[in-house]
Amino acid sequence: MNGREKQKQKLLILYASQTGNALDAAERIAREAERRGCPVTLLSIDCFNAGSLPYEENVIFVVSTTGQGDTPDSMKAFWKFLLQRNLSQRWLEGVHYAVFGLGDSGYQKYNFVAKKLDKRLLDLGAVAIVERGLGDDQHPSGYEGALDPWMSSLWNTLSKMNPKFFPNGIDFLIQDAHLIDPPKVQITYHDVDKVHSHFSTDSDLKCIEMQIERVRSMHPGKFSRDKNRPDCFLRMVENHSLTRAGCEKNVLHIEFEVLSSAIEYAVGDIVEVLPSQSPIAIDTFIQRCNLNPESFITVHPREMENHLPNANINDSKIPIKLKTFVELTMDVASASPRRYFFEARILFFATAEHEKERLQYFASPEGRDDLYQYNQRERRTVLEVLEDFPSVQMPFEWLVQLVPPLKKRAYSISSSQLAHPNQLHLTVNVTPWTTPFKRKRTGLCSKWLAGLDPQQGVIIPAWFIKGSLPAPPPSLPLILIGPGTGCAPFRGFVEERAIQSRSGSTAPVLFFFGCWNEDNDFLYRDFWLSHSRNGGVLSEEKGGGFCVAFSRDQPHKVYVQHKMRENSQRIWNLLCEGASIYVAGSSTKMPSDVFSCFEEIVSKENGVPRESAVRWLRALERAGRYHVEAWS
């Protein structure tokens, strides 16, 4: 028996989360292990040195899949390290691992990250403890429908591997009350008379920028390692509807003036906007939690070993108003709380017996499905949950830790900087949706933007990031598929190519657009039609075209795929000329349906079996000629 076996066995749990679900699942696995007496170290994967993986004995990976099979941002460096060619097939010899993935079977590359991580770990010599688990958002209980049986298998196998994992057996459970550890954050309250808060009153853009950076850097959430200082500020100059009044959809065209001359963006780029929360919701939350909005606070991590060092640690200690902290960092009236909010914490602070009973039921295996229905499916907000359980009084430290962080909202830019040098345009869908219990919901940011009047002069913090649609050179033929608001980035593509065509030759552009009705939601109708005539960028004279599918203007549904099949020969000709394919829009079925349509076209026009067409398209993806940007 070696030295490691003599020691008490422990688990390292590494998570890679984009929206917080993988963190929630990882915390749940950690809690269940600790309840059985097994020590756990829980880390975000970007806080772990990939080079030290061979020195770990038992590692649990909890990873989500984003977009069209992409790794979460926090995992990109770790994954790049694992792909190094100099790592041998015995590099991870002696390492035991398990993988649980979170995905959505509505996507073409369902749980792709978990699958490829599992394969790579095996290739490097690691041994799987149990078969990988795959959580599915489409399951009636969400990812937890797969997590519970997977955890049961994990505990059984670990116990058989080494009984020291669970000294009292897997059925022995420590009560949650004994596992209530201190919150991960510490809040210091400052004497108002001694605080000189320059940032709370100064409206200068630079000061607002610094305030946002300091407040968001103070928060323990995931974005504390993101870029917290805005790239620029935007001021709205135009806000009008693209859809007919009274129809089911409400899509807006919004134009902003960029309040910085140094900002550059390319077509296909994404702008992230920090939304403003409802003042009524903020005040209600503060009042419900018995907080003093005027108090000045600083927020510090209680322990530093699991946090990246903060280069501006001294700056982050500048006191900030509690109300400002809540406004800029805590999503109180939009995002649903994670399961951990219910399982131990809110239950621990409830005083009314009937509320405790209901929360205990939600935290039990029997109540799992009902909790999922009550919380995630209904998109219940933190404020609504707290109002449903009025006896709960949580300390502010726990609220800071458990309330979902206020996240930036990403939008495809629908303009070209060549066409609009100091502007940025967005296409924003503000159509409400209905929950299973028939409650109306609207996106936080889209609703806020829709309600802004350009005359108000509201300043909006913004960040620029690269998306999945690289800006094409003018010589590259394009096949664009953008139904609904998926047309947004392609408006910028067409604007840019129109300007480029004035000074030189440009390659053809073939664009497929789809909507419900010609009269109701034909977004940017005049724009597309003007560029498809008189030798425009989308005209047949230039070798391109504009094809539109109105899905509900006839008894049978007509989608972009139908229009693609009608233009099968033109698509194949452009592909033979080296065209790149760009797809943008809803992430549900559209991307996979469009890919399937391309399979048909390649198979038919090239006279090859369907399997060969799939391989041909996969080669196109690897060559960087098939791009997808999809959103839910």
Side-chain angles (χ1 to χ4, degrees), residues 193-211:
D193 296 331
K194 295 179 181 178
V195 172
H196 174 66
S197 182
H198 169 71
F199 304 109
S200 64
T201 56
D202 201 321
S203 61
D204 177 75
L205 281 184
K206 195 69 179 173
C207 292
I208 298 173
E209 178 184 287
M210 292 172 69
Q211 180 177 6

Side-chain angles (χ1 to χ4, degrees), residues 227-286:
K227 185 178 181 184
N228 292 306
R229 181 174 293 196
D231 290 326
C232 72
F233 288 91
L234 306 175
R235 180 186 288 126
M236 185 183 290
V237 295
E238 177 71 31
N239 184 355
H240 68 262
S241 180
L242 296 169
T243 49
R244 187 176 63 82
C247 79
E248 290 182 53
K249 292 188 175 183
N250 183 20
V251 180
L252 303 177
H253 173 75
I254 304 178
E255 299 181 4
F256 299 95
E257 175 190 2
V258 180
L259 302 180
S260 172
S261 57
I263 289 299
E264 291 185 4
Y265 67 85
V267 293
D269 283 357
I270 290 171
V271 66
E272 293 183 319
V273 172
L274 184 65
S276 181
Q277 302 189 77
S278 159
I280 295 174
I282 295 293
D283 290 341
T284 304
F285 173 80
I286 288 173

Side-chain angles (χ1 to χ4, degrees), residues 305-321:
E305 69 257 24
N306 291 350
H307 292 258
L308 290 181
N310 186 344
N312 298 317
I313 191 71
N314 292 326
D315 290 346
S316 69
K317 293 180 181 177
I318 295 175
I320 197 78
K321 264 191 182 180

Side-chain angles (χ1 to χ4, degrees), residues 163-209:
K164 286 186 169 29
F165 277 111
F166 311 110
N168 298 302
I170 60 172
D171 295 324
F172 174 81
L173 299 178
I174 301 170
Q175 292 302 306
D176 279 330
H178 299 299
L179 289 174
I180 296 291
D181 51 348
K184 294 177 182 176
V185 300
Q186 186 173 335
I187 295 174
T188 304
Y189 290 83
H190 299 266
D191 189 336
V192 178
D193 296 331
K194 295 179 181 178
V195 172
H196 174 66
S197 182
H198 169 71
F199 304 109
S200 64
T201 56
D202 201 321
S203 61
D204 177 75
L205 281 184
K206 195 69 179 173
C207 292
I208 298 173
E209 178 184 287

